[in-house]
Amino acid sequence: MIDPLFDDDPRRRTRELTPGAHWIPNFLTLPQQAWIVDRFHEWVDGPVPVRSAKVRGHEMSVKTLCLGWHWRPYRYSREAVDVNGNRVLAFPEWMLRLGRRALIEATGDPSAGDDYSPDTALINFYDADARMGMHQDKDESSLEPVVSLSIGDSCTFRFGNAETRTKPYEDILLASGDLFVFGGPARLAFHGVTKIHPGTAPAGCGLAQGRINITMRVTGLPSE
């Protein structure tokens, strides 16, 4: 039986936006996307519901749930202390394997994923009005790469530099099934989502509307 998450798709073409930042369109096939959306619905029904985190007292328009470690602005914990106190679901083994394959695909280096062991995933859901301001992913103690997957409606994704929220940056259209990896000199680059494009989710991706974004990270925290 073919593993639905590890079947190759010849349509992929890698583009490096800046050193360490790789964009791979069509990384996930439609059946793979639909399979992951099914997992998303299982996670939503799990011990910790999706919620809009508050940053400096302001509620984000994006709704988030977590695996492995629970993220709240500026720190991680095993329990969702700002939601209901429950322990989050474990980081799944299939996602670890997928993250390693993503690094190989992004870099072209067959050994790139050998030591990559993400232990948390932030799953963000964007409705048509959701946005994500320019920010750095720097709540982790580790600077291992971030692996990002998109499913559903396309979005305008802005990827910048590590020094400032302003230019230089580049806007790209991330579509359903796309992979984006940033590490090395691009690991602390500012980035954000400026627009969701309703009605662009492809038939068969498992999501009728909205966008799911999964980002895998290495927290650098002790396992227990």
Side-chain angles (χ1 to χ4, degrees):
M1 180 177 179
I2 297 175
D3 190 326
L5 283 176
F6 297 90
D7 185 24
D8 288 334
D9 184 340
R11 298 174 298 163
R12 295 191 294 270
R13 296 292 183 271
T14 301
R15 180 188 164 202
E16 188 174 39
L17 272 67
T18 189
H22 304 268
W23 174 24
I24 302 91
N26 301 307
F27 176 73
L28 295 172
T29 64
L30 285 173
Q32 291 167 350
Q33 294 169 49
W35 188 88
I36 292 175
V37 171
D38 285 343
R39 305 290 79 71
F40 172 74
H41 292 308
E42 294 173 358
W43 301 330
V44 167
D45 290 336
V48 181
V50 294
R51 94 318 187 183
S52 296
K54 289 186 177 180
V55 180
R56 302 185 184 92
H58 298 283
E59 193 172 86
M60 297 173 63
S61 60
V62 175
K63 297 184 184 298
T64 305
L65 64 81
C66 307
L67 305 175
W69 289 88
H70 178 74
W71 173 83
R72 60 190 190 278
Y74 317 119
R75 64 184 305 179
Y76 285 97
S77 58
R78 290 296 192 186
E79 289 76 31
V81 296
D82 61 333
V83 183
N84 59 8
N86 289 340
R87 189 180 180 95
V88 299
L89 293 170
F91 187 87
E93 191 274 338
W94 65 261
M95 194 175 283
L96 170 66
R97 291 190 290 133
L98 188 60
R100 290 175 173 173
R101 185 167 75 87
L103 287 189
I104 295 170
E105 187 79 25
T107 64
D109 179 357
S111 63
D114 289 356
D115 298 321
Y116 186 59
S117 295
D119 58 348
T120 190
L122 275 62
I123 297 94
N124 290 324
F125 178 77
Y126 293 75
D127 64 20
D129 298 319
R131 306 289 186 270
M132 181 78 75
M134 294 292 279
H135 67 283
Q136 295 171 299
D137 289 349
K138 60 179 184 180
D139 293 341
E140 299 78 30
S141 299
S142 168
L143 291 179
E144 289 293 304
V146 172
V147 171
S148 173
L149 298 166
S150 298
I151 301 175
D153 286 332
S154 299
C155 76
T156 299
F157 178 67
R158 178 166 292 173
F159 194 79
N161 63 88
E163 306 301 326
T164 174
R165 287 181 172 85
T166 58
K167 294 182 177 180
Y169 55 70
E170 181 175 359
D171 288 347
I172 63 174
L173 190 70
L174 287 181
S176 194
D178 286 5
L179 164 70
F180 196 89
V181 174
F182 54 103
R187 175 59 178 80
L188 293 179
F190 284 91
H191 57 284
V193 172
T194 64
K195 183 178 177 59
I196 299 297
H197 301 274
T200 56
C205 76
L207 197 64
Q209 58 186 0
R211 172 180 182 253
I212 294 171
N213 175 232
I214 298 174
T215 59
M216 306 178 210
R217 303 122 183 267
V218 179
T219 63
L221 297 170
S223 57
E224 288 292 24

